[in-house]
Amino acid sequence: MKKWMYLIFPAVMLGVFVIFYMSHAKELHAKEQRQIAEAKAKRDEADAKKKAAEEKARADAAKRQAERDAEDKQKADEKAAKQAADDKRVRDDTAKYVAQGDAAQKQLNAQEQELDRLRKERDKTSREAFDIAKQVELTRIARRTAELEIQRMNKMIVDRASNSSLVRPPVIVAPPPAK
């Protein structure tokens, strides 16, 4: 009997659940249908408002576009007149500055020639100064070499003289003392 309890109690509970479910299922289905109908009505109403707003927006956009086109044409005419005046001013300025540039180029060429001449003169002067400094240094070296040669010669003479028998005093042997 215990084995049948595992089937009976769940079956009874399932039956109670099915009864409650069936009684509420009809209500849920009706409620769901009402919500669907309400949503559809709201959507239709929103679509109608949207269409009306779109028509109004199109009309406003067309009106604004016509105004913008008129303003753009006026601005384009003003811009063209201003551009023509600017172009003339630029042409005049360009001619003036080209003339100034030519004068400056002539002056630059003259200054470059002067600069080249001065550089050559500086190089020549530097080379002369270097040659003179070289001669001075060579003269100093020759003088120092001559001084060293004189010192060497003096030392040789002194060495020869000191080793010479003429410079040494004679060695006198003293007689033995008398007794």
Side-chain angles (χ1 to χ4, degrees):
M1 174 93 172
K2 288 185 178 179
K3 290 181 186 175
W4 289 102
M5 287 189 155
Y6 288 114
L7 290 176
I8 294 174
F9 284 124
V12 170
M13 290 165 107
L14 179 64
V16 170
F17 173 75
V18 168
I19 292 170
F20 280 114
Y21 177 76
M22 292 303 237
S23 67
H24 288 305
K26 290 179 185 177
E27 290 175 18
L28 286 175
H29 186 64
K31 186 177 180 182
E32 197 175 289
Q33 290 299 326
R34 271 184 282 144
Q35 287 177 347
I36 291 172
E38 287 175 6
K40 186 176 179 185
K42 284 182 182 178
R43 239 183 298 132
D44 290 342
E45 183 181 328
D47 287 343
K49 284 183 181 179
K50 185 177 177 182
K51 282 185 181 180
E54 285 176 357
E55 287 299 322
K56 184 177 178 183
R58 278 192 203 110
D60 289 344
K63 180 181 174 185
R64 277 184 271 138
Q65 184 63 36
E67 290 173 359
R68 261 189 258 129
D69 289 343
E71 285 180 20
D72 289 345
K73 186 177 183 311
Q74 182 183 4
K75 285 180 183 178
D77 292 343
E78 289 174 0
K79 187 175 180 182
K82 185 177 180 183
Q83 185 66 36
D86 287 345
D87 289 345
K88 184 183 181 318
R89 183 181 49 83
V90 167
R91 280 193 301 274
D92 294 343
D93 288 348
T94 302
K96 180 176 100 177
Y97 292 128
V98 165
Q100 287 178 354
D102 291 343
Q105 185 63 39
K106 287 179 184 176
Q107 184 181 6
L108 176 67
N109 291 340
Q111 288 177 348
E112 284 180 353
Q113 288 175 352
E114 179 67 16
L115 181 63
D116 287 342
R117 185 188 65 76
L118 290 174
R119 281 184 182 156
K120 288 177 184 175
E121 187 177 319
R122 182 193 67 193
D123 290 343
K124 181 181 173 188
T125 306
S126 295
R127 185 160 295 146
E128 288 174 0
F130 177 74
D131 289 342
I132 291 172
K134 182 178 173 184
Q135 288 176 357
V136 167
E137 195 60 35
L138 288 174
T139 306
R140 283 184 185 163
I141 291 171
R143 180 177 167 210
R144 180 69 182 151
T145 304
E147 288 175 356
L148 289 175
E149 185 63 25
I150 290 172
Q151 287 177 1
R152 187 181 68 81
M153 288 297 284
N154 283 342
K155 184 167 175 41
M156 282 177 39
I157 291 172
V158 168
D159 286 347
R160 274 194 188 166
S162 64
N163 290 337
S164 166
S165 62
L166 294 174
V167 177
R168 280 192 219 134
V171 179
I172 300 179
V173 180
K179 290 194 190 182

